[in-house]
Amino acid sequence: MSLDEKLDKIRSPKLQNQRETAVVLSAVEDTLKDQSHGATPTAYFAALLALLSQAIVPPDSIVNKELASSVVYLLDLVTSHVPAALLRSKFSQILTSLGPTLTSQEVEAPLLRASIGCLESLLLAQDSTAWALPQTQISPRRAIAGLLVFASDHRPKVRRRAQDAISHVLKNPPPSPSLDHPVADMCAEAALRTLSGSLDESSRKRKKSKDREQDQHQPGLIHALHLVTTVASASGGWPSKKIEPLCEALMGVSRSNNEYLAMAAFEVFEVMFNGMADQFSSSKLPRLMEAVTELKPSQNDSQLLPSWIAVISRGYDVSAQVSPEDTFHKLPILFGMVSEFLSSASHDVRVSASECLISFLVNCIPGKTISEPSMLDEKVLERLAQGAEDLLSVKYQAAWMEVFSVQSALFEALRWRAIPLARNIVNIIGELRASESFNGKKDADAVLGKAIQSMGPEAVLGTLPLNLSTSGTGKPGRAWLLPILRDNVINTSLAHFRSEFVPLSQVMYQRVIDHGDSEKTMEIKIFETIVQQTWALFPGYCNLPLDLDKAFDLGFAELLSNLLYSQPEIRADICRGLQTLVDSNREILAAGADKEEIYFRSRITKSMAQTNLDHLATFAGNLLAVLFNVYSQTLPQFRGFILQCINAYLSITKEKDVLDTFTRVTELLETALIEITPQPHNMKQQPKEIPSNQMPPTSHTLMDLIITLSIYLPLSSFPQLFDLTSRILPLTQDPQLQKKAYKLLPRLATSPSGFLALQTRNQDLQSLLLSSASTTSAPARRDRLLAIAATIEHLPPTDLHFIPALLSEVVIATKESNEKARTAAFDLLVLMARKMIQGGTIEQSRIPHMGPTALTAPASLEEFFTMISAGLVGSTPHMVSASITALTRVLYEFHPQLGQEVIEDLVSTLDLFLESNNREIVRSCLGFTKVAIVSLPLDLVRPRLKTLVPGLLGWSKEHKNRVRARVKHVLERAVRRFGAQEVERWCPEEGKKLISNIRKSRERKKRKRNAEGEGDGEHDDPGRRKKGRFESEYDEAVYGSEDDDDTNSSASSSDDDDDRARRGRARNGGGGGGKGTYIVEDPDEPLDLLDRSALGRISTSKPVSSSSSSLKRQSGKPHRPAAVNLDGKLVFGGGEEEGEKMLIDDPGEQEQEQEPGDGTLEGGIGAYVDAIRGRDA
């Protein structure tokens, strides 16, 4: 911040204590103006020094405290902008003038902080000559001594200001060959003296008083630690000569029971290590580590050992960054030194030791020693492995859980170098794991998993063989290794799977085959499980194998193909493995890391990955043929993984082979289409549901394959593809096939060639979509809308006539009963509007059913609203309602971009529809009204309340289709935004009761929230609000109430009589003291309360209705309660809200697109809300 900006804040003070400073500044500036001096930092400095001599008279007299505070405060701002030479020349004068403020005991903190700031600027300007002057003279060293005193002051702000000043001075030493500041030793000695004195005083107090609270409150010691941290964080770090006594003092602090003191001591070490991580200060690190190592506590000191181990861990972490080779060569000695503490009786010590060893292994082993080790490096690694093996002896049995964590870190650090070094560790842990009495099997499994990842399964199984296929005695079987192998095999030899597990699988499967069709015994089930577990390893072996080009040959490919046909139970694992072969190598090619990092991580380079993909491409054609056949023989619910595998191999298949495959599949599909060509007597037949255990038609399977192939096709094949699509779209008797054809266009948009095809052949797609509008079946409507969206996304500005040509279909789709279709329609409306906003021309003569003389209109958002508004004069209520719903969605999205006149006309027009006699139209109008109230500007909606409120209240007595509840929700929003008085102003007399109820309900909720300490909902933090139950903001705006959590309670209290009745029941003890009692009713006979046997029907537990339970047993469906309105009255004739069950053919989205509701967006969401609120939710 510049000096002018700082002074501007003073010239216009906001606080009372700054006004005196503003007056002084104004006087100084007037003086400078009268004397024709410029407003430079030097001029301000000279004028303020003159004023300082009037306010403070050395050596110890402050004449005017107010003037002195203002002048010193301004000097603090100015001195940092004054030339250094001037400050050096005026050093003695300024220090003498500030002497009374620095030495007097009565000086207030603000004046003292400003004086410290002036002193800081003076010290920063001094050179080496000035710093060489002794402390006995008026010199910088004397000023530093004063700052060191203030750095332990009892006033927090003064102490903080002094510590910041010391830190800035030490971080900006004068030019000299030394790393440290000239007064670094002085500051360190003073800080260390303060720390030692505070520590001795604390020790004396602890001996005199055994009060634990006194031990927890030691401010002097904490202040001393902060001062030490300040000096240690300076440039150059802590002076080398003072490292040993500091470490000893910090270790003494760490013995304290005060956790804050221990943390402060660790913070000092952390600051020292961070300061020594740079190139200039790293020479001090070895001495610091030697000092810390020499302070090694006793092995029985459970209080100090964790702290000391943590310091050692952090120190050698920094050492590994500064000098990685030297630290690595010291690692065996350090490992052995810390390992001894694993035999401690203290659990905290053992945990600290294990974490330190893990830190050594993770941070102190350079990657180069693993990828390219020298002879010396191999010796060091061997010693490390031997030390880790020694940890598995009986001596460390109490710490075996911690030791297992160290072993896991060792395998991660050594990676493939662990193969010759850690075999004994694997053997010992394997024997422990096989013992029945061993309790740490989970931890042992984790270590063996790391060993498999690092050494590879071949090395681990060489030490711990499975022994599953051998029938000899004395060899324990290790089937428990199979799940561990499944989860950890990666980046290893694929040939090992062929030689080890393929024969094992064949042996076990042959035993199952030999058993025949007889009833399966436990032994046969075990054999089947082993076969499945064996092939579950295959995906791991396929994850970046090191010998893919040699192990994956023609014989292995044929074996996999035969297994895909013959053993469906392992088909998923084989397909995942084949897919992983491609995906893992593609990930290497797409990785952005450097070559060395990629090789260290996977031992595979990008060139090797490309070679692997080229090798797999030679088998892609035959594998795809097999996968296509297997796909056609698999039930739809088990096809997903096959399709993913096909997609992976299509990505590496040559273009010619893809085109040949597409040609063959197309020919087969055309043959299949001949069988389902539309016939006159079949046109009215309804499509039959395909059972889940029955294969779908061949045409469905082939269409799935074409959709998968489409994004890999060249541009030359797209005419044939679109021609095939045009033949499928009119097939109304096969909705699922039609649905798959519509899926093709969104799929094409995901590939570069498909993207280009959608642009170049956009007009053909327009014609195709327009011609197929009348033949679209209900299940295909959502996918048709997505296909239209993909086409409009690439629509040129000259073809915008396509939007009004399909607009009516999209508007009608907003009333679909299927939620996904409605969502797609709303998204498409927004996309159309954005396309219109981009501009262009609409040639209306090209729109179907428009004459050749139709005019051309420019594309705009207003024109799009005009197009939708044309549906308001539709011939059917359904069309009018859909148009209102579409206008509501587009208005919610784009109202900030619309002109006020357009919005006013729209609101006034739809205001008239509230007077309609059709409930469907009114329901849509309620949604529009709610969006208008919630989203539009206040000035625009407030004048419309005069007609909106009476129009809403006209439907407040309508109970059918929840109209009354929706009216109340809209009025709640109006009251929330405009206030109850404004709404009640335009309310007819018969409707004021409802407004009064809404107002009282809001007040009750507000009182309840205030009682709970949450405040009013209008002022709640948005981050604390409960997450809405709607997926989009639009649905929340249209269908959400003011407080969805309290909808039921507010609905049940529609008038004040209900509240009075509840209060009356509460006064009469109806609550039963908080303990519920129930009367068990007989469904066949009325309950006679005068009968003495009625007492036997009283129960404290809620009874289950026998009629409802029997009905549920008979029908298999839950009982639905009778519909009631807000007043609790029964409602009849509301059956259209009950939805139909959605039919699902298969997981591949082959469902009949039907959902609960009355065929409208509101009805669908209303049915969904009823479902999640019902008793069976």
Side-chain angles (χ1 to χ4, degrees):
M1 186 182 296
S2 65
L3 179 61
D4 291 337
E5 292 174 343
K6 294 178 181 178
L7 296 179
D8 284 340
K9 292 185 177 181
I10 304 299
R11 295 186 185 105
S12 55
K14 296 181 180 180
L15 301 177
Q16 182 67 29
N17 57 358
Q18 292 180 345
R19 293 184 178 178
E20 181 69 24
T21 306
V23 172
V24 174
L25 177 61
S26 178
V28 170
E29 290 178 339
D30 291 342
T31 303
L32 294 178
K33 188 180 296 183
D34 293 341
Q35 297 178 359
S36 301
H37 292 299
T40 61
T42 304
Y44 279 112
F45 182 69
L48 291 172
L49 281 182
L51 282 175
L52 184 64
S53 61
Q54 300 177 17
I56 301 176
V57 178
D60 55 359
S61 176
I62 301 178
V63 180
N64 189 334
K65 288 186 177 181
E66 289 77 8
L67 179 61
S69 298
S70 301
V71 171
V72 175
Y73 181 79
L74 292 173
L75 267 176
D76 184 17
L77 300 179
V78 171
T79 48
S80 59
H81 300 274
V82 176
L86 179 60
L87 292 178
R88 284 195 294 270
S89 63
K90 296 291 184 179
F91 178 80
S92 299
Q93 176 186 348
I94 298 173
L95 187 59
T96 303
S97 300
L98 292 176
T101 65
L102 297 171
T103 56
S104 175
Q105 300 293 329
E106 300 178 356
V107 177
E108 296 178 352
L111 177 57
L112 191 55
R113 292 202 308 271
S115 302
I116 293 173
C118 295
L119 206 56
E120 176 187 344
S121 300
L122 285 174
L123 293 174
L124 289 174
Q126 304 306 307
D127 55 12
S128 300
T129 305
W131 285 110
L133 296 175
Q135 187 176 344
T136 55
Q137 301 180 13
I138 300 178
S139 63
R141 286 181 176 269
R142 175 178 289 188
I144 283 290
L147 289 180
L148 290 170
V149 173
F150 291 125
S152 299
D153 194 89
H154 65 280
R155 290 165 289 189
K157 292 185 178 180
V158 174
R159 184 172 65 250
R160 182 66 179 174
R161 191 71 175 88
Q163 291 174 0
D164 290 343
I166 293 172
S167 177
H168 292 161
V169 170
L170 294 179
K171 288 180 179 179
N172 296 275
S176 67
S178 175
L179 293 177
D180 297 331
H181 196 282
V183 292
D185 287 343
M186 172 185 171
C187 294
E189 185 176 353
L192 189 57
R193 185 168 55 250
T194 304
L195 178 61
S196 301
S198 300
L199 195 59
D200 293 341
E201 182 180 358
S202 174
S203 179
R204 287 195 300 271
K205 288 182 178 180
R206 192 184 304 113
K207 290 179 180 179
K208 292 180 180 180
S209 175
K210 296 185 179 181
D211 188 4
R212 185 175 181 83
E213 294 184 0
Q214 183 69 25
D215 188 33
Q216 296 293 326
H217 184 67
Q218 302 180 34
L221 191 54
I222 294 175
H223 299 164
L225 285 171
H226 288 169
L227 178 57
V228 171
T229 304
T230 300
V231 177
S233 63
S235 178
W238 190 266
S240 302
K241 298 178 181 179
K242 308 294 181 182
I243 286 179
E244 290 86 350
L246 174 63
C247 293
E248 186 174 356
L250 291 177
M251 284 299 169
V253 174
S254 300
R255 293 180 181 273
S256 173
N257 293 327
N258 190 332
E259 295 180 1
Y260 187 81
L261 284 177
M263 291 173 58
F266 282 126
E267 184 181 354
V268 176
F269 278 114
E270 182 71 21
V271 168
M272 293 173 64
F273 289 137
N274 290 339
M276 295 178 183
D278 59 73
Q279 184 177 0
F280 299 100
S281 306
S282 59
S283 58
K284 300 178 181 179
L285 185 59
R287 186 167 185 176
L288 173 60
M289 295 312 302
E290 290 177 5
V292 174
T293 305
E294 291 174 358
L295 294 173
K296 175 182 175 181
S298 170
Q299 191 167 356
N300 298 323
D301 192 347
S302 60
Q303 186 176 0
L304 188 57
L305 264 177
S307 305
W308 180 82
I309 293 173
V311 173
I312 287 289
S313 174
R314 178 60 181 142
Y316 281 102
D317 181 11
V318 176
S319 178
Q321 301 173 24
V322 176
S323 54
E325 293 185 1
D326 294 340
T327 307
F328 174 68
H329 293 155
K330 296 178 183 177
L331 197 53
I333 299 175
L334 298 173
F335 196 90
M337 177 183 68
V338 178
S339 297
E340 294 296 326
F341 299 113
L342 287 173
S343 60
S344 172
S346 172
H347 178 263
D348 293 339
V349 174
R350 296 199 301 269
V351 171
S352 298
S354 66
E355 290 176 350
C356 181
L357 294 176
I358 292 172
S359 176
F360 287 163
L361 295 171
V362 172
N363 300 314
C364 300
I365 299 181
K368 189 177 181 180
T369 60
I370 302 298
S371 57
E372 299 177 0
S374 62
M375 293 291 293
L376 182 58
D377 294 340
E378 291 180 352
K379 292 291 185 181
V380 173
L381 293 176
E382 186 176 349
R383 292 172 61 189
L384 272 178
Q386 185 60 45
E389 182 182 341
D390 294 339
L391 296 179
L392 294 171
S393 61
V394 180
K395 176 181 178 182
Y396 303 104
Q397 185 173 2
W400 266 357
M401 299 302 105
E402 290 81 15
V403 168
F404 285 164
S405 301
V406 177
Q407 305 293 357
S408 297
L410 176 72
F411 283 114
E412 285 191 57
L414 296 184
R415 298 183 66 79
W416 62 90
R417 298 295 173 188
I419 294 176
L421 302 175
R423 286 184 181 273
N424 291 337
I425 296 177
V426 172
N427 189 24
I428 294 172
I429 294 179
E431 291 178 356
L432 289 173
R433 171 62 175 79
S435 175
E436 294 293 337
S437 59
F438 184 64
N439 295 325
K441 292 184 179 181
K442 183 178 179 181
D443 301 277
D445 289 348
V447 179
L448 292 176
K450 295 297 181 182
I452 292 169
Q453 292 179 14
S454 303
M455 302 171 62
E458 184 175 3
V460 173
L461 293 178
T463 305
L464 301 174
L466 292 173
N467 297 330
L468 296 179
S469 59
T470 58
S471 58
T473 59
K475 295 183 179 180
R478 297 187 178 92
W480 50 267
L481 266 176
L482 290 175
I484 304 175
L485 288 166
R486 178 198 60 205
D487 296 335
N488 295 281
V489 170
I490 186 175
N491 195 206
T492 185
S493 171
L494 184 59
H496 178 255
F497 181 83
R498 293 187 60 181
S499 61
E500 178 76 16
F501 291 103
V502 171
L504 174 63
S505 171
Q506 292 173 346
V507 170
M508 296 298 171
Y509 189 70
Q510 187 60 42
R511 293 178 182 178
V512 176
I513 297 299
D514 295 341
H515 187 70
D517 297 332
S518 304
E519 183 179 355
K520 294 181 180 180
T521 62
M522 181 60 67
E523 185 179 21
I524 296 301
K525 292 180 180 179
I526 292 175
F527 293 155
E528 290 179 341
T529 302
I530 292 176
V531 172
Q532 294 176 5
Q533 289 183 336
T534 299
W535 282 99
L537 308 179
F538 184 61
Y541 275 93
C542 293
N543 195 340
L544 292 178
L546 302 175
D547 56 349
L548 177 62
D549 54 343
K550 297 178 181 178
F552 197 93
D553 53 13
L554 183 59
F556 190 55
E558 291 177 352
L559 172 66
L560 296 178
S561 301
N562 293 330
L563 291 174
L564 284 172
Y565 284 118
S566 61
Q567 298 187 38
E569 60 274 5
I570 62 174
R571 193 174 286 169
D573 293 318
I574 295 177
C575 287
R576 278 196 292 267
L578 291 173
Q579 180 185 350
T580 305
L581 285 174
V582 177
D583 292 345
S584 59
N585 284 280
R586 289 174 67 89
E587 288 176 4
I588 293 294
L589 291 177
D594 56 14
K595 297 180 180 179
E596 294 183 0
E597 182 179 352
I598 293 175
Y599 182 79
F600 178 74
R601 191 172 57 205
S602 59
R603 286 186 287 174
I604 289 182
T605 62
K606 289 189 175 183
S607 60
M608 295 170 63
Q610 185 60 54
T611 303
N612 290 338
L613 290 177
D614 294 340
H615 178 72
L616 289 173
T618 60
F619 299 94
N622 294 329
L623 285 175
L624 285 173
V626 173
L627 290 171
F628 283 176
N629 292 333
V630 172
Y631 183 82
S632 63
Q633 300 170 9
T634 307
L635 290 173
Q637 58 266 35
F638 306 114
R639 285 178 166 181
F641 55 86
I642 304 176
L643 211 56
Q644 293 174 4
C645 186
I646 291 173
N647 192 58
Y649 278 87
L650 284 173
S651 65
I652 62 172
T653 305
K654 296 179 181 179
E655 184 177 296
K656 180 179 179 301
D657 295 336
V658 173
L659 191 57
D660 293 342
T661 304
F662 172 71
T663 303
R664 291 195 300 270
V665 175
T666 304
E667 292 174 353
L668 293 173
L669 180 58
E670 289 176 349
T671 304
L673 290 178
I674 297 176
E675 302 175 0
I676 57 173
T677 301
Q679 299 294 334
H681 62 278
N682 290 333
M683 291 298 293
K684 296 183 180 181
Q685 292 181 358
Q686 294 295 327
K688 296 181 180 179
E689 179 186 355
I690 302 174
S692 60
N693 59 349
Q694 181 178 333
M695 295 296 297
T698 306
S699 57
H700 292 191
T701 302
L702 295 173
M703 195 61 200
D704 286 340
L705 298 177
I706 287 180
I707 293 173
T708 308
L709 280 164
S710 60
I711 62 173
Y712 302 105
L713 294 175
L715 283 174
S716 58
S717 61
F718 281 100
Q720 184 181 3
L721 183 64
F722 291 147
D723 178 67
L724 185 64
T725 304
S726 64
R727 294 179 54 187
I728 296 175
L729 293 183
L731 301 179
T732 56
Q733 72 274 23
D734 196 343
Q736 295 302 324
L737 186 61
Q738 190 182 68
K739 181 179 178 180
K740 293 177 183 296
Y742 279 119
K743 288 179 180 291
L744 189 61
L745 294 184
R747 168 77 170 171
L748 288 176
T750 61
S751 69
S753 59
F755 189 89
L756 184 60
L758 291 177
Q759 289 181 332
T760 56
R761 303 187 62 86
N762 198 273
Q763 291 187 355
D764 296 338
L765 292 175
Q766 296 174 34
S767 302
L768 178 61
L769 291 172
L770 288 172
S771 62
S772 59
S774 60
T775 59
T776 303
S777 57
R781 284 173 188 162
R782 170 180 174 264
D783 294 287
R784 173 177 169 82
L785 293 172
L786 296 177
I788 294 173
T791 305
I792 290 180
E793 190 73 34
H794 304 88
L795 199 66
T798 57
D799 289 346
L800 293 182
H801 67 279
F802 182 66
I803 292 178
L806 289 175
L807 184 58
S808 60
E809 179 185 352
V810 180
V811 169
I812 288 292
T814 61
K815 304 288 286 183
E816 282 284 340
S817 60
N818 181 271
E819 182 184 1
K820 294 180 180 179
R822 293 194 304 269
T823 303
F826 285 134
D827 294 341
L828 183 52
L829 280 173
V830 174
L831 177 62
M832 286 178 168
R834 288 180 177 150
K835 201 69 178 179
M836 295 285 285
I837 292 174
Q838 295 175 5
T841 57
I842 304 174
E843 299 181 17
Q844 300 186 26
S845 59
R846 299 174 62 183
I847 301 175
H849 310 297
M850 296 285 286
T853 59
L855 301 178
T856 299
S860 64
L861 183 60
E862 290 76 9
E863 181 68 20
F864 187 65
F865 271 88
T866 304
M867 294 176 186
I868 302 177
S869 301
L872 297 177
V873 296
S875 58
T876 62
H878 189 71
M879 182 63 195
V880 176
S881 175
S883 301
I884 296 174
T885 303
L887 285 171
T888 304
R889 179 65 182 93
V890 182
L891 177 66
Y892 179 82
E893 187 75 24
F894 298 101
H895 69 270
Q897 304 176 37
L898 278 176
Q900 185 171 352
E901 295 181 359
V902 177
I903 298 178
E904 289 179 351
D905 293 342
L906 191 61
V907 175
S908 60
T909 301
L910 292 179
D911 191 7
L912 302 175
F913 284 94
L914 279 174
E915 302 175 2
S916 172
N917 294 327
N918 186 276
R919 295 187 187 90
E920 185 179 6
I921 295 176
V922 170
R923 285 205 308 270
S924 298
C925 281
L926 291 177
F928 179 87
T929 305
K930 191 170 186 180
V931 167
I933 290 174
V934 170
S935 303
L936 297 184
L938 292 173
D939 297 338
L940 195 149
V941 182
R942 185 174 279 111
R944 306 301 310 172
L945 292 178
K946 183 178 180 180
T947 57
L948 283 176
V949 174
L952 290 171
L953 289 173
W955 287 91
S956 62
K957 302 298 183 182
E958 177 62 46
H959 300 292
K960 195 171 185 179
N961 296 335
R962 299 172 58 90
V963 174
R964 187 175 189 270
R966 290 173 183 153
V967 169
K968 185 176 181 181
H969 291 167
V970 176
L971 290 173
E972 282 178 354
R973 289 288 183 171
V975 170
R976 184 178 183 179
R977 198 169 190 209
F978 299 100
Q981 293 181 354
E982 182 71 18
V983 176
E984 196 170 358
R985 174 186 175 190
W986 305 109
C987 180
E989 190 64 31
E990 62 272 12
K992 289 186 177 180
K993 186 178 180 181
L994 180 59
I995 303 300
S996 176
N997 172 252
I998 293 173
R999 176 177 54 79
K1000 291 181 180 180
S1001 298
R1002 284 177 50 80
E1003 291 175 354
R1004 282 196 300 270
K1005 294 170 189 174
K1006 184 177 180 179
R1007 288 194 299 268
K1008 182 179 179 181
R1009 287 171 181 162
N1010 290 337
E1012 294 175 354
E1014 295 179 0
D1016 192 1
E1018 296 180 13
H1019 306 286
D1020 283 348
D1021 183 6
R1024 295 175 55 190
R1025 291 181 180 175
K1026 186 176 179 181
K1027 184 179 179 181
R1029 54 189 173 89
F1030 298 102
E1031 294 185 358
S1032 67
E1033 294 181 1
Y1034 168 71
D1035 290 342
E1036 178 70 25
V1038 177
Y1039 305 107
S1041 65
E1042 177 188 0
D1043 216 340
D1044 290 323
D1045 296 339
D1046 300 327
T1047 300
N1048 294 333
S1049 61
S1050 62
S1052 63
S1053 58
S1054 58
D1055 52 42
D1056 299 333
D1057 294 336
D1058 295 339
D1059 297 331
R1060 285 193 290 270
R1062 279 195 297 272
R1063 288 194 291 270
R1065 287 194 296 270
R1067 285 194 298 268
N1068 294 332
K1075 186 174 181 180
T1077 54
Y1078 303 87
I1079 298 178
V1080 181
E1081 296 182 76
D1082 189 343
D1084 299 326
E1085 297 181 4
L1087 178 64
D1088 185 5
L1089 295 177
L1090 298 178
D1091 189 359
R1092 293 182 179 180
S1093 62
L1095 293 175
R1097 297 180 180 272
I1098 297 177
S1099 172
T1100 57
S1101 60
K1102 187 173 182 179
V1104 179
S1105 174
S1106 59
S1107 60
S1108 62
S1109 60
S1110 62
L1111 178 62
K1112 186 181 297 185
R1113 286 193 300 270
Q1114 293 171 7
S1115 62
K1117 298 180 181 179
H1119 174 66
R1120 294 180 64 119
V1124 295
N1125 62 11
L1126 295 176
D1127 295 323
K1129 300 176 181 178
L1130 290 174
V1131 178
F1132 299 94
E1136 63 265 31
E1137 287 194 0
E1138 296 183 3
E1140 298 177 358
K1141 183 180 179 181
M1142 184 185 300
L1143 302 177
I1144 301 177
D1145 290 333
D1146 57 76
E1149 295 189 2
Q1150 300 180 8
E1151 70 268 13
Q1152 301 292 335
E1153 301 283 4
Q1154 296 177 354
E1155 286 194 356
D1158 56 1
T1160 66
L1161 173 62
E1162 298 92 338
I1165 294 183
Y1168 167 70
V1169 173
D1170 290 340
I1172 64 173
R1173 284 182 175 171
R1175 64 178 63 184
D1176 298 307

